[in-house]
Amino acid sequence: MASTKIGFIGLGLIGGSVAKALRKYYPDCEIIAFDKNRETLALAVQDSVIHTACSSIDDNFRECSYIFLCAPVSCNTAYLSQLKELIAPDCILTDVGSVKTSIHEEVAALGMEENFIGGHPMAGSEKSGFANSKAHLIENAYYVLTPTEKVSPEKTAAYRDLIASLKAIPIVLDYREHDLVTGTISHLPHIIAATLVNYVRDTDTKDELMKALAAGGFKDITRIASSSPVMWQQICLKNRSNISRILGGYIDALAQAKALVDSGNERGLYSLFETSRDYRDSMPNSSAGPIKKQFAFYCDIIDEAGGIATIATILATNNINIKNIGIVHNREFEEGVLKIEFYDEASSDKAARLLQKHHYIVYET
């Protein structure tokens, strides 16, 4: 990979994170990039993530072994025609979009199938932009590959190995199956979060009691509503047939839940929450999927000077790194409480045991 040249078109959250991961694991590879935002390119050069900032899609991309399309879904298809005359026969062209059908159809129309392998890292954040990108964002995340029927097995194997070397988990799917699966586990949750937040906004009291009293549970399930409106607008437009069918099925499920409430069906209501709990608890925690697991817990704290510093010191002296720490005001517990977040499950478990040993009360999330 030392002499490998890799091109990026778009350096947002995902493109920037993939570029940073490549820089981390392949420090000698050459990375070039084009982005409409010149400040983004300047920051990427300043951070030594890329070598060359391109003002357009030009001859700089001719010698690339890999080209990542990381612009919004609607833009990626337009960039394909500009790349058609630039890419070499052995170049692997890919994207990072969460909808695959539209770009696969455009690739086929342009006769670029021998170069294209769709890609979708199942990771993300409610924050967007290169400034929020991280090299570890795709670590332990499923990274879906959707090769065309005409791309060679050798290209697919090489790309799969590259993704695995970045510590992501590659999985090969048909692009149609990908759009159905992500429509259910990624696109639907974003729509649910957005509509739930808007429902609270529209039905709140005049003095906004709902907004003031919204506690951890509401904020946890609506966190992704803070994601980029432009990105999710485009996703819904590009995957609308799947999303429409999925929404129809979910609306039916909500109607069934309403019927259970209306009829006071005790057994049915218990089963609703029992089956959802059991299925949710059976999901693996190792993958940083679209809705990432948080390694965090709540800790009761006495309202006194130095209380937070004491806890931070206990953890620091035991070599436990804190990702985030903050006071939670609206919650189901008593007195003041801290929410402490960690980078991994092992650190969270160790910290919880340690603080309990020091007689702190810890509540698991």
Side-chain angles (χ1 to χ4, degrees), residues 11 146 187 208 271 282 332:
L11 276 179
T146 60
H187 307 165
E208 296 189 324
S271 177
S282 72
E332 295 80 6

Side-chain angles (χ1 to χ4, degrees), residues 223-356:
R223 176 174 54 87
I224 53 177
S226 297
S227 300
S228 166
V230 173
M231 180 179 73
W232 284 101
Q233 173 203 51
Q234 293 301 312
I235 286 172
C236 286
L237 291 173
K238 292 295 183 180
N239 200 25
R240 61 182 180 178
S241 60
N242 279 320
I243 290 174
S244 179
R245 287 195 298 271
I246 293 163
L247 275 173
Y250 185 70
I251 289 169
D252 290 342
L254 286 177
Q256 292 172 16
K258 182 179 184 299
L260 293 175
V261 174
D262 289 344
S263 63
N265 188 329
E266 295 182 13
R267 178 175 294 181
L269 287 168
Y270 182 85
S271 177
L272 169 68
F273 294 111
E274 180 187 40
T275 55
S276 64
R277 178 202 63 189
D278 292 347
Y279 187 67
R280 174 65 178 81
D281 290 348
S282 72
M283 292 180 178
N285 293 327
S286 58
S287 174
I291 304 177
K292 289 195 254 181
K293 175 180 173 59
Q294 287 188 327
F295 304 110
F297 56 72
Y298 297 102
C299 177
D300 272 341
I301 181 172
I302 299 174
D303 187 11
E304 62 181 13
I308 297 177
T310 300
I311 290 177
T313 300
I314 290 172
L315 299 179
T317 54
N318 284 273
N319 298 315
I320 300 175
N321 293 324
I322 298 173
K323 182 178 181 181
N324 199 9
I325 186 169
I327 298 174
V328 177
H329 299 287
N330 299 323
R331 62 184 186 90
E332 295 80 6
F333 308 126
E334 300 172 359
E335 305 304 327
V337 69
L338 282 181
K339 182 177 181 181
I340 312 174
E341 187 178 354
F342 303 88
Y343 287 98
D344 54 67
E345 189 170 16
S347 297
S348 180
D349 292 342
K350 181 180 178 181
R353 292 194 302 269
L354 185 62
L355 292 179
Q356 287 169 338

